[in-house]
Amino acid sequence: MGTNTHFPDPSVVREELIQKYPAKVAKKRSKSIIINDPQIIPEVQANVRTVPGIITQRGCSYAGCKGVVLGPTRDIVNIVHGPIGCSFYAWMTRRNQTRTESLMDANYIPYCFSTDMQEENVVFGGEKKLKQAIQEAYDLFHPKSIAIFSTCPVGLIGDDVHAASKEMREKFGDCNVFGFSCEGYRGVSQSAGHHIANNGVFKHMVGRDNTPSEGKFKLNLLGEYNIGGDAFEIERIFEKAGLTLISSFSGNSTVKQLENAHTADLNVIQCHRSINYMGDMMETKYGIPWMKVSFVGAESSAKSLRKIAEYFGDEELKARVEAVIAEEMPKVKAIIDEILPRTTGKTAMLFVGGSRAHHYQDLFTELGMTTVAAGYEFAHRDDYEGRDVLPNIKIDADSKNIEELKVLPDPELYNPRKTDAELEALKEKGLEINGYSGMMQQMTKKSLVVDDLSHYESEKLIEFYKPDIFCAGIKEKYVVQKMGVPLKQLHSYDYGGPYTGFEGAVNFYKDIDRMVNNPVWKLIKAPWQKTEATNGKNKGLEASYVTQ
Ligand code: CFM
């Protein structure tokens, strides 16, 4: 853990960031803008309401439930109960890919199902229209499952999506219909939607199919949504290593996989934020432990594979994992050796979601680049500071809004995969069982950690640090690029990917090399830079261009 010396004093930057705000807002924002110290890990204010008027990067609860967690399962018909705009927003924009086994297999991802709520439905109620929509979907597709997602007006007018779902489920008999109260306003961000989705998938899907699964080393991959084909690369590696993937939550998944997931012997969690609830609930009900892994970065992939092999404790598996790493790494090394001299010493900023701002720091480290500032849009304190702080997190009114399921060991299916003594022995070997140490432990001393970064703050940070690359999403992309800084979308990957595993690491190195070493950025002057054309008087907000 080195100390940044060639960067601006973070306390000055922090002061600057908050000084423009009115006193009350400044007080609130100052708790979310933290100078990191990996040794003592300071407290970060997170998962609280955004101050009205601040331009946030966040999305809504419906986005987290429908778009994020349920969206990637290909054979559920996901019906959005609401105005058409909410559906359009969630239609194919996340780049979650899927691959059917045969052309005859169901895949509803390319479709957009909505009740297209109109004023009349808002005034007189929309349940009738919802039931018609469910019937129509059933008649057309005969799917195994239909899920209903509530948007804001549904909660405001009081449509009961659960009663409507139950009525239709009982009517059909062969189609599992269930609803989600994931109205956009349910929480402070999409994080609330993740929790609501976890509860629904756990209640209505996991454990429905008790067919014994085959395979010696069976695991579920939680919190991997197959953006840009990420899950395909992890599946390739698992297969090569002799690991059997029972279910993925939920990239490239099917209803059958999710319903049978409780037959696996280990849950590995990639995105802790969106699915940690599922890991905990499956452990309590079925006795399956979970482990945090990350397949973002070649080194992290190797480390995660070794952790999985250690968990199963089989010598043959360990040897096979080592063979896979030995076979994959030289290809990665050949590329990184060529790129490293061009990327070493450059700086990055990452402001993304609830897990990638952490995971992608590994890839930048492999590129010899330093992350000078990072933060999540909607993560909680445990994603920053580690799960040890969980007992100290204040439960506010917004969190109380979301149901905490009371889960008990299943009288028939509970089967602890490891004894307490075995788990202890694994922990002693350094395996973090049911744990996650968060982002800040990995970041350098005096780097800046900012939760729920505002638009104004992002401009200020760029002005101060002039990073070589800024990682965020489409809402930020062009504003940042107009400042002369390339922006890598870490949500959609800018049409690229996969970035996981060994092949993904190579893709990422090449893409970042192309971006940070592209001379075009030097031709753009940032808004605060004086231009010759206006005789030094231009201090406006528009980027200006130098033609030669
Ligand atoms: Fe998890 Fe995600 Fe993320 Fe997320 Fe998301 Fe996403 Fe994300 Mo966009 S589940 S928290 S709600 S890793 S859609 S695949 S990229 S913000 S960092």
Side-chain angles (χ1 to χ4, degrees):
M1 299 287 166
T3 306
N4 304 337
T5 47
H6 57 293
F7 302 125
D9 181 345
S11 48
V12 175
V13 179
R14 188 171 176 273
E15 265 317 294
E16 272 281 327
L17 285 181
I18 51 184
Q19 61 143 4
K20 267 253 166 76
Y21 290 129
K24 255 179 138 175
V25 179
K27 193 173 164 213
K28 191 172 174 197
R29 284 305 296 148
S30 65
K31 293 181 195 155
S32 292
I33 303 173
I34 303 297
I35 300 165
N36 189 40
D37 183 343
Q39 257 84 50
I40 53 160
I41 308 202
E43 181 177 332
V44 185
Q45 173 183 259
N47 191 33
V48 294
R49 291 182 188 182
T50 304
V51 177
I54 280 184
I55 305 177
T56 172
Q57 298 177 301
R58 284 174 168 175
C60 70
S61 170
Y62 152 76
C65 183
K66 192 270 174 194
V68 174
V69 180
L70 271 296
T73 305
R74 62 174 167 264
D75 53 354
I76 302 180
V77 167
N78 288 326
I79 301 179
V80 176
H81 188 29
I84 196 65
C86 302
S87 286
F88 187 81
Y89 174 75
W91 187 27
M92 305 282 285
T93 47
R94 188 160 166 257
R95 299 193 70 234
N96 46 273
Q97 301 184 2
T98 202
R99 195 183 276 155
T100 54
E101 275 159 34
S102 88
L103 284 174
M104 301 308 289
D105 289 351
N107 176 14
Y108 307 119
I109 288 179
Y111 292 87
C112 177
F113 301 96
S114 167
T115 55
D116 184 21
M117 227 176 191
Q118 301 291 320
E119 198 176 342
E120 190 195 328
N121 313 122
V122 174
V123 176
F124 297 107
E127 282 177 32
K128 200 171 142 212
K129 199 172 187 190
L130 173 62
K131 283 187 247 174
Q132 277 169 358
I134 299 172
Q135 184 70 52
E136 199 180 322
Y138 179 77
D139 294 341
L140 281 171
F141 297 103
H142 291 283
K144 290 193 191 95
S145 276
I146 299 177
I148 312 303
F149 300 89
S150 310
T151 59
C152 293
V154 172
L156 298 176
I157 65 174
D159 275 358
D160 190 341
V161 299
H162 305 285
S165 301
K166 186 165 177 263
E167 187 186 318
M168 300 309 275
R169 182 172 68 231
E170 284 166 3
K171 182 180 171 190
F172 301 147
D174 62 351
C175 175
N176 187 15
V177 189
F178 49 92
F180 292 90
S181 291
C182 56
E183 291 86 350
Y185 59 77
R186 283 278 168 187
V188 301
S189 69
Q190 52 267 64
S191 167
H194 300 148
H195 197 164
I196 294 164
N198 276 231
N199 288 349
V201 172
F202 186 74
K203 261 199 298 200
H204 298 291
M205 301 185 80
V206 177
R208 270 171 61 96
D209 178 358
N210 288 319
T211 315
S213 55
E214 285 174 18
K216 206 167 165 195
F217 310 110
K218 297 180 291 188
L219 78 173
N220 297 314
L221 175 60
L222 271 55
E224 167 47 62
Y225 302 97
N226 205 15
I227 313 301
D230 277 353
F232 297 149
E233 167 65 358
I234 302 176
E235 285 170 16
R236 179 186 76 84
I237 298 169
F238 279 2
E239 206 182 317
K240 221 171 149 180
L243 297 163
T244 305
L245 182 63
I246 301 297
S247 179
S248 157
F249 288 63
S250 58
N252 197 28
S253 67
T254 61
V255 169
K256 194 172 168 32
Q257 285 177 15
L258 294 170
E259 291 183 346
N260 193 237
H262 61 298
T263 63
D265 296 321
L266 169 68
N267 281 328
V268 290
I269 295 189
Q270 169 114 325
C271 168
H272 173 264
R273 182 62 270 136
S274 64
I275 205 117
N276 68 89
Y277 321 93
M278 182 64 73
D280 281 342
M281 292 190 290
M282 283 180 76
E283 154 113 76
T284 310
K285 187 167 178 181
Y286 303 108
I288 309 171
W290 65 264
M291 267 192 328
K292 176 76 182 72
V293 293
S294 169
F295 287 91
V296 182
E299 292 295 339
S300 320
S301 300
K303 194 171 147 200
S304 297
L305 281 176
R306 290 187 175 118
K307 274 168 83 172
I308 293 168
E310 192 66 59
Y311 170 86
F312 285 110
D314 181 273
E315 292 309 317
E316 210 177 299
L317 176 67
K318 284 185 198 171
R320 200 153 165 184
V321 157
E322 290 307 325
V324 172
I325 296 168
E327 198 185 312
E328 298 284 333
M329 274 304 197
K331 290 183 276 178
V332 177
K333 201 160 174 334
I335 304 290
I336 195 67
D337 284 351
E338 185 214 320
I339 289 174
L340 201 60
R342 293 196 293 270
T343 49
T344 299
K346 295 200 183 285
T347 55
M349 285 186 183
L350 298 89
F351 291 96
V352 212
S355 81
R356 294 187 175 184
H358 177 193
H359 291 156
Y360 277 77
Q361 293 190 29
D362 290 347
L363 275 167
F364 283 114
T365 305
E366 288 172 12
L367 283 160
M369 294 174 64
T370 307
T371 302
V372 287
Y376 301 119
E377 290 170 46
F378 51 76
H380 300 196
R381 277 184 59 199
D382 38 323
D383 303 289
Y384 287 104
E385 302 167 53
R387 278 177 73 93
D388 291 351
V389 301
L390 277 175
N392 311 324
I393 294 182
K394 211 172 82 215
I395 308 292
D396 59 13
D398 290 306
S399 331
K400 273 193 202 136
N401 227 349
I402 307 159
E403 189 188 9
E404 275 292 341
L405 294 186
K406 285 196 180 45
V407 183
L408 294 169
D410 188 284
E412 276 140 48
L413 299 171
Y414 181 75
N415 164 28
R417 304 317 201 258
K418 298 270 179 195
T419 62
D420 286 346
E422 282 169 334
L423 288 175
E424 269 317 305
L426 287 174
K427 281 182 197 164
E428 267 164 38
K429 281 186 181 163
L431 243 62
E432 218 178 7
I433 304 286
N434 302 358
Y436 173 44
S437 48
M439 175 212 268
M440 290 164 87
Q441 204 189 71
Q442 203 183 329
M443 288 182 71
T444 54
K445 193 168 176 169
K446 292 195 176 174
S447 51
L448 264 189
V449 172
V450 186
D451 182 63
D452 189 18
L453 182 83
S454 76
H455 183 90
Y456 156 75
E457 290 157 7
S458 65
E459 287 194 0
K460 274 278 166 203
L461 281 182
I462 291 172
E463 203 178 316
F464 269 110
Y465 286 93
K466 301 181 181 55
D468 294 292
I469 196 159
F470 194 96
C471 300
I474 190 66
K475 298 195 288 287
E476 296 77 35
K477 184 166 177 103
Y478 298 101
V479 178
V480 170
Q481 294 198 156
K482 280 181 182 175
M483 294 177 172
V485 174
L487 186 140
K488 179 67 196 166
Q489 288 192 66
L490 282 190
H491 302 261
S492 73
Y493 298 159
D494 290 306
Y495 329 108
Y499 290 142
T500 49
F502 304 103
E503 288 184 2
V506 168
N507 290 338
F508 194 77
Y509 303 153
K510 287 180 180 169
D511 286 351
I512 297 303
D513 178 33
R514 271 197 288 267
M515 293 180 87
V516 298
N517 290 308
N518 190 330
V520 75
W521 303 110
K522 294 196 186 74
L523 304 177
I524 302 172
K525 288 218 170 181
W528 59 86
Q529 290 169 319
K530 293 173 183 176
T531 67
E532 281 170 36
T534 53
N535 213 10
K537 285 183 191 137
N538 183 7
K539 287 189 178 168
L541 283 172
E542 281 193 7
S544 49
Y545 304 91
V546 179
T547 47
Q548 273 198 335

